[in-house]
Amino acid sequence: MKLSRRLIPDVTTLQAFECAARHGSFTQAAHELNLTQSAVSRQIKDLEEQLGVLLFERVRQRVVLSDDGRRFLPEVRKLLHQTEETMLRAMASASSEHSLSIATLPTFGSRWLTPRIPGFLAENPGTIINIASRSAPFDFDEENFDLAIHYGQPVWARAACTYLCSEVILPAASPELVKSWNLAEPKDLERAPLLHLATRPKLWAQWFELNGGSADTAYRGHRFDQFSMVIETAVAGLGFALLPHYLIEQELASGRLAVVFDRPMETENSYYLVVPEGKLENPLSQAFRAWISRQVPA
């Protein structure tokens, strides 16, 4: 698709707008950008003429964003952030012939993927990797990633999903907490303090139903939006948690966590490697797919 240059603003003009909006002052924006106040004012005026809207209203000694300016500001900040990220990635890979950008689930990335990345780099010397957290599907056309790790169903627009593994969770807690409760059977956990992952609120109810318990009290307890937070809270002894075994390998090995009952439950979704259609033939993406497939349990 051919872009219209008339519709593409200068990045320095967008910087002037964002800076003036943040300070509520053309003078302070000029000071930060090392420009004159008149230069900033001229850039804002040019941008307003290009857009055909008024971005600022003059109120006494300050400039205040108009309604159009408030709607425009988040998009400008997003664009400036993406521009900076693009430049940083290019600079990071400038000395290498090969680079790979990976989007991954936060806890999966920090606890499972990154400890294993040295193995991939050993097989692919000279490769520079960029790993960023993404918790939900995104548009590969808008975010420049070569591949993504996805938990859910094998559905992603304009991309191919390769199955990696299922997810198996177990009830775990600190050894001290386990000892402090007289737990003879799974249903005894109904009266114990439970920890929850906010994005999967039904896990305990499903586990109790699978193990002869009741779901009536399965929703009480503390909630967290990342598995990493649930894990650390469990280690601190604040409750019992349903956790994927692969995420707590180190805690189990060190004795910081213990499996309460050996009653694993496979969750309804799985993990997939997602590659955008335009990069399916990328040799490095193919190498990563082959490598990660060997790392997950069969």
Side-chain angles (χ1 to χ4, degrees):
M1 181 179 66
K2 185 177 180 180
L3 298 176
S4 173
R5 295 186 180 276
R6 184 180 64 82
L7 298 177
I8 302 177
D10 191 289
V11 172
T12 57
T13 300
L14 296 180
Q15 286 180 310
F17 166 70
E18 190 281 331
C19 195
R22 179 159 34 88
H23 289 294
S25 167
F26 289 177
T27 301
Q28 291 185 43
H31 180 73
E32 179 177 323
L33 298 172
N34 197 28
L35 297 171
T36 64
Q37 191 271 350
S38 60
V40 171
S41 180
R42 185 170 60 254
Q43 287 178 321
I44 299 300
K45 182 179 179 182
D46 290 344
L47 184 58
E48 289 177 329
E49 290 178 353
Q50 184 179 15
L51 295 172
V53 298
L54 186 68
L55 296 174
F56 290 96
E57 297 174 352
R58 280 66 177 174
V59 179
R60 296 179 183 176
Q61 300 300 316
R62 293 179 58 82
V63 289
V64 179
L65 283 172
S66 65
D67 290 342
D68 288 319
R70 280 192 291 271
R71 285 190 290 267
F72 189 48
L73 181 59
E75 297 300 324
V76 169
R77 284 177 170 161
K78 178 181 178 181
L79 180 59
L80 290 175
H81 178 69
Q82 289 175 339
T83 301
E84 183 181 46
E85 281 194 334
T86 299
M87 291 297 294
L88 290 173
R89 282 198 297 267
M91 292 166 65
S93 60
S95 60
S96 174
E97 295 182 1
H98 308 290
S99 63
L100 191 68
S101 293
I102 305 167
T104 180
L105 300 158
T107 308
F108 182 95
S110 63
R111 287 182 162 264
W112 190 91
L113 181 60
T114 52
R116 291 169 169 80
I117 280 293
F120 174 74
L121 296 178
E123 294 181 14
N124 299 271
T127 298
I128 297 295
I129 61 167
N130 169 58
I131 300 178
S133 297
R134 293 295 184 275
S135 298
F138 54 87
D139 189 341
F140 277 105
D141 291 337
E142 295 184 0
E143 301 205 48
N144 189 28
F145 287 104
D146 297 304
L147 47 86
I149 308 295
H150 168 56
Y151 174 79
Q153 296 297 311
V155 178
W156 196 303
R158 297 182 298 281
C161 299
T162 300
Y163 173 83
L164 291 177
C165 62
S166 60
E167 181 183 67
V168 176
I169 58 175
L170 289 162
S174 69
E176 294 76 16
L177 184 65
V178 175
K179 291 177 183 177
S180 69
W181 285 80
N182 183 23
L183 302 172
E185 53 186 338
K187 68 178 183 179
D188 290 338
L189 282 171
E190 294 175 11
R191 54 187 174 83
L194 304 179
L195 304 177
H196 301 268
L197 183 66
T199 55
R200 305 197 215 168
K202 297 181 180 180
L203 284 183
W204 272 113
Q206 294 168 346
W207 189 84
F208 279 130
E209 290 174 358
L210 189 65
N211 290 280
S214 171
D216 292 344
T217 60
Y219 298 97
R220 55 183 173 75
H222 302 298
R223 280 173 163 68
F224 307 88
D225 73 348
Q226 298 289 341
F227 262 135
S228 57
M229 297 180 185
V230 179
I231 293 169
E232 292 304 321
T233 306
V235 168
L238 293 184
F240 295 83
L242 285 171
L243 299 168
H245 186 275
Y246 76 90
L247 289 182
I248 55 173
E249 293 171 339
Q250 294 182 5
E251 284 76 13
L252 292 176
S254 66
R256 297 174 70 207
L257 285 178
V259 174
V260 185
F261 293 106
D262 190 15
R263 299 290 185 90
M265 181 180 77
E266 187 171 314
T267 58
E268 58 187 7
N269 293 317
S270 300
Y271 288 90
Y272 297 88
L273 181 69
V274 185
V275 181
E277 292 175 346
K279 298 183 178 180
L280 290 173
E281 303 305 319
N282 182 314
L284 201 52
S285 293
Q286 292 179 338
F288 187 87
R289 180 169 56 191
W291 170 81
I292 197 172
S293 296
R294 298 195 303 270
Q295 308 305 310
V296 297

